[in-house]
Amino acid sequence: MHSTFPVDAGILVGAVLVIVGVVVSGVADRFRLSSLVIFLLVGMAIADDGLALIQFNDAGLAQNISIIALVVILFEGGLAASPNAVRRAGVPAAILATLGVVITGAVAAGGAALVFDLPATSSLLIGAVVASTDAAAVFSALHGQTMPVRVRDVLQLESGLNDPIAVMLTIGMVEVWRGQPSASDWIAFGTLQLGGGLAIGLAVGMGARVALRRLHLPSASSYPVLALAVAALAYGVAAELGASGFLAVYLTGLVLGRKRRLVRSLLHFHQGLAAAAEAVLFLMLGLLVFPSQLADVVGPALIIAGALMFVARPVAVVLCLPWFRFNRRELTMVSWAGLRGAVPIVLATIPLTAGHPDGSLVFNVVFVTVLASLIVQAGTVGALTRRLGFSDEAPSAHAQVAILDNLAADLVEVRLTARSPVVGSRLRDHALPDGAVIAFVIRDARTFVPDDRVVLVADDVLLVVVAPDTTPEKVVAWATRPA
């Protein structure tokens, strides 16, 4: 006797592919190659045009799975954004995520019109699809890189906020193909998308924050699951009302993120879930591509990619950000690190599933453009930070926070570098912030409890217990700013 289910083989193959992708990504990271590229390439390798291990050409199913993955990724991005980041960079990021997307799309559409013999509406459709940056790609590329805090904040906030504009432009251009929407139709559509997404995201986020603070669930593991359901609720309500679900779910995460202690208890779960969603998303999008169909569009698509990297994005940044006192080096970094990723590919499935006559062409062009962005831009972000001198301005300490569930305290891990003002001094010479105490020092693989006579050295790892009324940022400031 033998008992099987139809899904069994799919689970096995999926598990093997994700494991292979993760392992290969670890190796590829040494060569500055984005792990997201690896998942795309693995998907292409085992699909119909490769080893033909999996046959997958259902654009509608891919679109549905992609939207679920993006909800998870955007919610985690909102949760991880600190209130300080919103205060520092919220306004410039919002302008870049709205006006900047329109400018980028218009310039990219001009490039498409130059290299393809297409109707103007199809060129504008290509521009709309590639106009937004991608949260998963940006977060992945910036991980571990040193750059000014405000630059990082703008890039991360923008990548979470700009999807609604790109969705609106893409759907709008598909509707232009179907008919002739009037100016009032565009205004009503845009107002509902942005205004509705904003209102629903804020309302659900504030309601969830109150509920999560007051609820006493039997298990601590229930809170991250409840938060995930809240994210789905925000998206679902917005989508049902015709508003932007992407904006709603990101703003829900942002509002919850203002309650930092609550959020730290949720982040580990949602960071892991978002990483898994990224892997599945890029792997599946790789399965959807037929490399044999790319040969005819690679050259023109690379020209569009070049126009996007070297013209469209810099023009948008230069027009949107100088008013906020960004200097030339910061503008350069924001221009180059505005990466394309899964979102443009997902948007490219909209004309494909709608039966647009140029739907396949749009999808293939966008795929090549995204792949070029992930290889060229993501692979050189680190080199650019060093070239611009940001590495020399890096903070001399950073913190990782672990919540102590049974205690009203956090455990902050602070790593010291040679540039820290506390290095070379006795602990007694630099008083810690009120409500913080060093529990352990890790030095050369040896852990000890320090007294006030201990001299701190570079590469020390300090484990600091922090009371609720003392933020981890104060501990980092103690380790980085001269007294």
Side-chain angles (χ1 to χ4, degrees):
M1 296 177 65
H2 187 59
S3 175
T4 61
F5 295 97
V7 74
D8 292 350
I11 292 175
L12 175 60
V13 172
V16 171
L17 291 177
V18 172
I19 291 171
V20 169
V22 171
V23 172
V24 175
S25 298
V27 176
D29 185 60
R30 301 177 186 177
F31 301 96
R32 304 298 182 187
L33 187 61
S34 171
S35 62
L36 304 180
V37 175
I38 298 299
F39 284 109
L40 279 176
L41 295 179
V42 168
M44 294 170 64
I46 54 92
D48 301 72
D49 270 6
L51 300 176
L53 298 178
I54 295 179
Q55 293 184 341
F56 184 77
N57 59 2
D58 190 337
L61 177 60
Q63 186 182 85
N64 292 336
I65 296 174
S66 299
I67 288 172
I68 295 172
L70 288 175
V71 167
V72 173
I73 293 167
L74 288 171
F75 183 63
E76 187 274 333
L79 279 178
S82 71
N84 289 334
V86 176
R87 286 192 289 270
R88 282 190 298 260
V91 174
I95 292 176
L96 196 57
T98 50
L99 178 60
V101 169
V102 175
I103 295 171
T104 301
V107 177
L114 291 175
V115 297
F116 287 111
D117 183 17
L118 293 173
T121 54
S122 295
S123 296
L124 289 169
L125 179 59
I126 292 175
V129 170
V130 300
S132 69
T133 60
D134 179 73
V138 169
F139 293 169
S140 175
L142 298 188
H143 180 70
Q145 301 296 343
T146 55
M147 63 184 65
V149 174
R150 193 165 66 135
V151 171
R152 182 185 299 273
D153 292 340
V154 164
L155 287 165
Q156 292 182 336
L157 289 172
E158 176 211 4
S159 68
L161 291 170
N162 63 12
D163 295 336
I165 297 295
V167 171
M168 183 179 70
L169 293 176
T170 301
I171 294 176
M173 294 314 304
V174 171
E175 291 302 316
V176 168
W177 160 68
R178 284 175 171 160
Q180 291 296 326
S182 64
S184 61
D185 292 331
W186 277 95
I187 294 172
F189 178 61
T191 301
L192 180 58
Q193 280 276 299
L194 298 181
L198 176 66
I200 293 167
L202 294 177
V204 174
M206 289 187 289
R209 190 170 68 181
V210 172
L212 286 171
R213 188 171 60 242
R214 295 182 178 179
L215 282 175
H216 297 284
L217 300 179
S219 170
S221 61
S222 300
Y223 291 94
V225 176
L226 180 59
L228 181 62
V230 167
L233 177 68
Y235 180 89
V237 170
E240 284 297 316
L241 296 178
S244 171
F246 291 137
L247 179 59
V249 75
Y250 186 73
L251 288 176
T252 296
L254 274 180
V255 173
L256 280 178
R258 294 180 63 83
K259 193 67 176 176
R260 298 313 293 169
R261 179 169 173 80
L262 169 66
V263 166
R264 287 197 292 270
S265 67
L266 305 175
L267 263 181
H268 286 298
F269 173 86
H270 286 281
Q271 285 172 341
L273 195 61
E278 290 172 10
V280 170
L281 177 57
F282 279 83
L283 185 62
M284 183 197 60
L285 292 175
L287 291 174
L288 195 60
V289 174
F290 289 83
S292 61
Q293 298 177 2
L294 300 179
D296 294 336
V297 302
V298 167
L302 289 178
I303 294 175
I304 295 174
L308 192 63
M309 296 180 206
F310 298 104
V311 182
R313 173 69 177 183
V315 166
V317 169
V318 167
L319 291 178
C320 293
L321 293 189
W323 324 107
F324 299 96
R325 298 181 181 177
F326 285 88
N327 59 42
R328 183 176 299 177
R329 292 188 306 153
E330 292 170 336
L331 293 175
T332 300
M333 177 55 69
V334 174
S335 296
W336 190 249
L339 306 177
R340 271 59 197 172
V343 171
I345 301 177
V346 174
L347 293 182
T349 64
I350 294 176
L352 195 62
T353 56
H356 193 286
D358 295 318
S360 295
L361 175 65
V362 171
F363 183 86
N364 292 331
V365 167
V366 170
F367 185 86
V368 174
T369 301
V370 167
L371 196 58
S373 177
L374 291 175
I375 292 174
V376 177
Q377 289 177 282
T380 55
V381 165
L384 183 61
T385 61
R386 294 188 292 274
R387 178 74 175 177
L388 295 174
F390 291 148
S391 297
D392 298 332
E393 302 172 8
S396 52
H398 70 275
Q400 293 185 350
V401 181
I403 193 165
L404 302 177
D405 290 325
N406 296 323
L407 299 174
D410 297 326
L411 184 64
V412 181
E413 177 187 296
V414 180
R415 294 178 178 269
L416 302 180
T417 69
R419 297 181 63 246
S420 172
V422 301
V423 166
S425 304
R426 290 178 299 180
L427 196 53
R428 70 172 64 165
D429 298 330
H430 293 272
L432 280 158
D434 293 338
V437 60
I438 297 177
F440 298 100
V441 174
I442 303 173
R443 179 182 298 169
D444 298 328
R446 183 172 63 93
T447 301
F448 61 91
V449 177
D451 57 30
D452 60 1
R453 296 171 295 175
V454 166
V455 177
L456 299 173
V457 300
D459 297 324
D460 274 354
V461 177
L462 314 181
L463 299 182
V464 186
V465 178
V466 179
D469 55 351
T470 299
T471 64
E473 287 77 13
K474 290 183 180 179
V475 177
V476 174
W478 167 83
T480 59
R481 298 174 188 167

